[in-house]
Amino acid sequence: MFTTAAVATNVCALPVGTVLDRYGPRVCGVIGSILLTIGALFFAFAAQLPIDGYIPGYFFLALGGPFVFISSFQLSNTFPRHSGLILALLTGAFDSSSAIFLFYRLIYNASNRTFTPQKFFLVYLVVPISICIAQLTLMPLRSYKTVGELVTHAEDPANDIRPHIDSRISDESRLARIREERRQHRESVVSEITSLLGRKGEEGDRQTAQEERKKNISGVWGALHGRSAVQQIRSPWFILITLFTVIQMTRINYFVATIRTQYEHLLSSHEQAVHVNNVFDVALPVGGVMAIPMIGLVLDNTSTPFVLALLVSVATAIGLFGVLPYLWAAYANVALFVLYRPLYYTAVSDYAAKVFGFHTFGKVYGLIICLAGLLNFVQSALDAATHRVFDGDP
């Protein structure tokens, strides 16, 4: 069920991205809340259904998550100077969300199993209902744009021509007058944006300097901004980050799904493996929260090549600790892993935003995660090879 849910979560990132680019974050959020509601209801009434309700429950919860999560990335544009920290907060919330089910397990055991899954998932309906209310009342209809995107869009003379409207006007003089009015309106919008930001004043100069500093620090900012999604997907920028994401996501999900069986073999002790697994269950959400300040500082103050080098270095260290048959190495591996996971997810989305831009973010980032999700089916082959070929040795 975990593999099915993990693959569904990642594969649906592409349609989520397409919906996000076309209809905006509000529609995505509402769709996500509906899917989460369906999933929770399947779990709540699984015992009363004539089919196994847990598999579709997992499936719909897995589908609903990306609609809410991916559509929230655009919130990093609300405060561009701290976009890395905002992305880290979102990813930390994503990672720590597993704590809800950890707390439920503790409550379930403490209540002598009287707080049944049906009661829990009926209470859990508060989550999608709250998301839906927030989307309809608080969240923006369209994705936030950066200052540069706002000005570029407003300055584009192509906005003076609207074929679907202009084709209905037969009078050339009237058409010319309408286009002139559009031009004047466009120029007034640019003037208002410039005035609002105070670009001619000291505050405007300071903000511009901060934006330029951040772009210069990243080393890759705007590399493919303004290109079509097809052009971006054909570039080495996309191909290389996709290969990296495919490998790392498969590795991350495989470790999460098989940590107990891996350490049963490495430590030759079922009790120690269970203890490591229990520590991991607590550390995963806690690590997601603790990593937020560190991730924000790293993404906002270091270059993207440095971040990618850091990811490779930590992943290598995790690989080394993961093959050592010692309890201390298991704890070190868990500690590094729970910090690495949110850094990895945030760094990939940060890379996509900086290199490809938010205009095509949904499609491009969605395709990266979708391809990684499809190849997550390799987990089953890896698990079979581990047990049948390598006698359980990870």
Side-chain angles (χ1 to χ4, degrees):
M1 286 194 293
F2 175 81
T3 301
T4 301
V7 171
T9 294
N10 296 325
V11 169
C12 81
L14 181 57
V16 170
T18 303
V19 173
L20 175 62
D21 287 344
R22 179 167 297 183
Y23 300 107
R26 179 175 295 175
V27 172
C28 273
V30 172
I31 293 174
S33 64
I34 293 172
L35 293 172
L36 291 174
T37 300
I38 295 172
L41 290 174
F42 264 113
F43 268 106
F45 299 102
Q48 303 169 27
L49 296 174
I51 60 172
D52 183 354
Y54 294 108
I55 292 179
Y58 257 97
F59 181 73
F60 280 105
L61 286 181
L63 287 181
F67 275 96
V68 177
F69 181 53
I70 294 177
S71 64
S72 65
F73 283 146
Q74 50 88 26
L75 294 175
S76 64
N77 279 336
T78 53
F79 301 97
R81 184 183 176 188
H82 304 289
S83 60
L85 178 60
I86 295 171
L87 286 174
L89 286 166
L90 293 170
T91 306
F94 170 73
D95 281 330
S96 61
S97 63
S98 60
I100 295 174
F101 300 99
L102 172 63
F103 293 146
Y104 170 62
R105 189 181 71 183
L106 297 175
I107 295 171
Y108 179 72
N109 292 330
S111 65
N112 284 328
R113 303 184 178 184
T114 57
F115 190 55
T116 62
Q118 182 178 41
K119 294 178 181 178
F120 170 76
F121 280 101
L122 289 176
V123 173
Y124 183 79
L125 289 174
V126 171
V127 174
I129 291 172
S130 300
I131 292 172
C132 187
I133 292 173
Q135 290 292 342
L136 296 175
T137 58
L138 298 176
M139 305 301 282
L141 177 62
R142 295 292 177 184
S143 297
Y144 285 121
K145 291 181 172 61
T146 62
V147 171
E149 289 173 332
L150 284 172
V151 175
T152 300
H153 178 75
E155 290 178 339
D156 188 1
N159 292 322
D160 297 342
I161 302 173
R162 302 173 188 176
H164 61 289
I165 297 177
D166 295 350
S167 61
R168 303 172 187 171
I169 303 174
S170 56
D171 188 342
E172 291 294 329
S173 61
R174 183 187 172 201
L175 179 60
R177 186 172 65 255
I178 291 174
R179 288 180 176 174
E180 175 63 21
E181 291 173 355
R182 290 174 187 164
R183 184 189 65 78
Q184 292 176 0
H185 174 71
R186 176 172 53 81
E187 291 178 351
S188 70
V189 170
V190 174
S191 177
E192 288 174 5
I193 293 174
T194 302
S195 175
L196 179 64
L197 295 175
R199 286 188 171 274
K200 295 181 181 179
E202 181 180 343
E203 178 62 24
D205 293 338
R206 186 178 66 83
Q207 182 177 357
T208 302
Q210 289 172 350
E211 290 182 359
E212 287 300 320
R213 174 180 173 273
K214 184 174 180 180
K215 293 177 183 179
N216 293 333
I217 288 175
S218 75
V220 299
W221 180 277
L224 295 177
H225 286 197
R227 305 282 184 88
S228 69
V230 174
Q231 290 174 320
Q232 292 175 343
I233 291 168
R234 289 177 176 175
S235 69
W237 294 92
F238 175 84
I239 295 170
L240 293 175
I241 194 65
T242 300
L243 290 174
F244 178 74
T245 303
V246 166
I247 294 170
Q248 291 304 311
M249 189 172 291
T250 302
R251 183 179 181 184
I252 287 171
N253 288 334
Y254 182 70
F255 182 79
V256 172
T258 63
I259 180 172
R260 180 177 297 188
T261 56
Q262 286 190 43
Y263 279 109
E264 281 181 351
H265 186 278
L266 287 172
L267 302 176
S268 300
S269 169
H270 175 73
E271 290 74 19
Q272 288 185 339
V274 170
H275 181 67
V276 171
N277 197 164
N278 291 337
V279 171
F280 178 76
D281 288 343
V282 176
L284 189 62
V286 172
V289 174
M290 291 179 60
I292 290 173
M294 178 268 293
I295 295 172
L297 287 172
V298 170
L299 295 182
D300 286 335
N301 297 282
T302 62
S303 68
T304 300
F306 173 83
V307 173
L308 295 176
L310 178 63
L311 287 175
V312 172
S313 300
V314 177
T316 303
I318 290 173
L320 292 174
F321 283 124
V323 297
L324 297 177
Y326 307 109
L327 188 59
W328 64 267
Y331 290 138
N333 193 25
V334 168
L336 275 179
F337 182 88
V338 299
L339 295 175
Y340 173 80
R341 185 170 178 260
L343 174 61
Y344 156 76
Y345 279 115
T346 310
V348 172
S349 58
D350 182 69
Y351 173 97
K354 288 176 178 176
V355 172
F356 305 117
F358 277 99
H359 183 66
T360 57
F361 179 85
K363 294 185 185 71
V364 177
Y365 178 76
L367 183 58
I368 293 172
I369 302 302
C370 177
L371 292 174
L374 285 173
L375 290 169
N376 261 240
F377 279 118
V378 175
Q379 287 185 59
S380 300
L382 289 174
D383 198 40
T386 300
H387 289 89
R388 297 177 185 177
V389 180
F390 304 112
D391 296 323
D393 187 352

